[in-house]
Amino acid sequence: HYTVLMKGAPEVISRRCTQYIKDGLALPVDDDFFAQQQEVYMYFAKRGMRVLGFCMKEFEGPSNTNDFSAEAG
């Protein structure tokens, strides 16, 4: 069992995701998610706070690390 963790700009990280966790449930990333994310980002940014995004991917067995490159989009 392997887990890859990544951090970075929220708008970059979230575009690489298909799901997010809320109240213990995996929900699809959709337009509503992006709108709420932008609202929260602006709230903190207007107060001079830095905002980071985090994501993870779990998989079994070795994986091709090229799947996680910045160019993979």
Side-chain angles (χ1 to χ4, degrees):
H1 182 81
Y2 296 86
T3 301
V4 173
L5 303 170
M6 188 167 44
K7 71 175 176 87
E11 64 275 10
V12 174
I13 296 295
S14 63
R15 296 286 175 200
R16 300 174 65 95
C17 299
T18 58
Q19 298 179 335
Y20 68 101
I21 305 294
K22 182 175 182 179
D23 299 326
L25 299 173
L27 303 171
V29 171
D30 56 16
D31 290 339
D32 290 336
F33 169 82
F34 289 118
Q36 183 179 16
Q37 176 194 23
Q38 184 64 22
E39 183 180 323
V40 171
Y41 177 84
M42 293 306 297
Y43 173 85
F44 288 109
K46 286 180 181 179
R47 288 159 178 77
M49 297 179 193
R50 184 171 182 207
V51 180
L52 289 174
F54 296 88
C55 66
M56 68 179 228
K57 181 174 178 86
E58 295 181 328
F59 53 93
E60 297 294 329
S63 177
N64 181 349
T65 57
N66 291 330
D67 291 345
F68 303 104
S69 70
E71 293 79 28

